[in-house]
Amino acid sequence: MVFANYIAMCLIFGTTFLAIKVGIDAGAPPFFSAGIRFFLAGLILFAVMAWKKQAPLSILLRKEMVFTGICLTFGVFATLYWAEQHLSSGIAAVLSATAPLMVMLLQTGLSRQKLSASSWAGCLIGFGGVILLLLPGLTFSFSMLWVAGCIAVLFGQVFYSAGAVYSRRVSQQFKDVSPITLNAAQMMYGGILLLIASAFTEQVHMEFLLSPQAVLSLLYLIFVGSMMGHTIFYWLVAKTNPVFPSTWLYISPLIALALGVALYQEPLYLSSLTGGIAIIAGIVMINWKTLQQLVAKKAPIRHAESPTK
């Protein structure tokens, strides 16, 4: 069951990027569709946890949930959904995989700890991978919007890194509250902020809901991407340890890259593929000690983080 659920989780998180792309291409407004997705997913999850008496309503009044929602949902997905108007889903997925690198750099800056040689090497390799990913848009068919989309996804990971570091303190502060409840609350606040952004920046014509692709994309992202994927993640944490489920970050981006090419005829340049592999290799090097501890059945959390996709 652990292995089957792990594979399912990697596939789910790997397919969400393509599902976002399908919805955007079908005419779904980026901020509106992201806001509806996360608000409804968070609301349903919170209602289920409240029914199980594991979600005190008072948690919704805490400012920590707002701050976490700003970083882990609003900042990450406002940029990702906007960027997927101009990027392939595979490139967006691989750029999103830089999150552990951002987290490590932020933690190092805050704690003023020295990085190991393998971590520095991982940073350099990951940075080189990002450059390789950017090359097609800079050389083969120069597009400012393509480059802006890449930068937007990377900027979203800055939000994610801040939210990941902050959420650790929040989880320690609310030890008696289920992580699923905390995640549901922050998704609700992030979704509300995305809907507010949509109200000020987008003209939402509900005709997009007449498109089967847009509707199926939204439903898939709500029930499978946000609810099922996160539930499996926390189930795996409970059954194994906090590190093992987080290794989806090494697998799902490459799944997304392959699915985009195979199912959506997205272009794939050799430099992009090489860059994607380099980013994943860099992340593995950054987390090498953690992965060794995982093999040794130790489970302290270092750089691998919880899902947001």
Side-chain angles (χ1 to χ4, degrees):
M1 286 297 296
V2 168
F3 181 74
N5 277 286
Y6 177 77
I7 295 299
M9 178 187 67
C10 290
L11 289 172
I12 288 171
F13 289 144
T15 56
T16 53
F17 294 92
L18 182 57
I20 292 171
K21 183 68 173 177
V22 169
I24 296 297
D25 287 352
F31 297 157
F32 181 80
S33 54
I36 287 293
R37 168 193 172 181
F38 285 103
F39 177 73
L40 290 181
L43 181 64
I44 295 170
L45 272 178
F46 194 89
V48 171
M49 297 303 289
W51 178 69
K52 293 182 177 181
K53 298 182 179 180
Q54 297 181 27
L57 294 178
S58 60
I59 200 70
L60 295 176
L61 303 178
R62 302 292 306 213
K63 64 181 184 299
E64 291 86 353
M65 298 300 101
V66 180
F67 294 152
T68 310
I70 290 173
C71 292
L72 292 183
T73 295
F74 175 75
V76 175
F77 289 96
T79 52
L80 177 63
Y81 271 70
W82 180 87
E84 286 213 36
Q85 296 176 106
H86 312 294
L87 297 179
S88 68
S89 62
I91 296 299
V94 174
L95 287 172
S96 295
T98 58
L101 189 153
M102 304 280 191
V103 172
M104 186 203 66
L105 292 175
L106 179 60
Q107 286 181 325
T108 302
L110 293 175
S111 63
R112 297 182 180 179
Q113 294 178 347
K114 292 184 178 180
L115 293 179
S116 64
S118 63
S119 293
W120 275 118
C123 284
L124 293 174
I125 292 173
F127 181 74
V130 171
I131 298 299
L132 287 172
L133 273 176
L134 291 173
L135 280 180
L138 294 172
T139 56
F140 297 113
S141 56
F142 181 78
S143 168
M144 282 302 299
L145 285 174
W146 195 93
V147 175
C150 290
I151 294 173
V153 176
L154 293 172
F155 185 63
Q157 301 319 302
V158 175
F159 275 93
Y160 177 83
S161 63
V165 173
Y166 179 71
S167 65
R168 289 185 182 180
R169 301 178 184 177
V170 173
S171 62
Q172 291 297 315
Q173 182 178 350
F174 300 100
K175 290 182 179 180
D176 297 332
V177 180
S178 166
I180 296 177
T181 299
L182 296 176
N183 189 52
Q186 71 86 10
M187 282 199 295
M188 290 171 64
Y189 277 112
I192 290 171
L193 291 171
L194 285 162
L195 291 173
I196 292 173
S198 174
F200 282 98
T201 62
E202 297 174 335
Q203 291 184 345
V204 180
H205 302 289
M206 301 308 291
E207 288 83 357
F208 82 90
L209 290 175
L210 299 177
S211 166
Q213 292 91 340
V215 173
L216 289 174
S217 167
L218 184 60
L219 292 175
Y220 181 84
L221 289 167
I222 290 173
F223 292 102
V224 180
S226 293
M227 294 177 59
M228 186 182 297
H230 285 221
T231 300
I232 292 175
F233 177 88
Y234 291 115
W235 183 88
L236 285 169
V237 169
K239 295 296 181 180
T240 59
N241 56 62
V243 177
F244 171 67
S246 298
T247 57
W248 73 269
L249 285 162
Y250 315 137
I251 299 172
S252 294
L254 296 180
I255 292 175
L257 198 64
L259 287 176
V261 174
L263 301 181
Y264 213 58
Q265 290 75 54
E266 293 182 340
L268 178 62
Y269 298 98
L270 179 60
S271 61
S272 298
L273 178 61
T274 305
I277 294 173
I279 289 174
I280 302 302
I283 295 169
V284 170
M285 291 184 69
I286 289 169
N287 291 275
W288 186 246
K289 290 184 178 180
T290 302
L291 294 175
Q292 287 180 319
Q293 291 169 344
L294 173 61
V295 173
K297 295 184 180 181
K298 297 178 182 179
I301 301 178
R302 291 184 183 270
H303 306 307
E305 300 297 332
S306 60
T308 62
K309 312 305 183 225

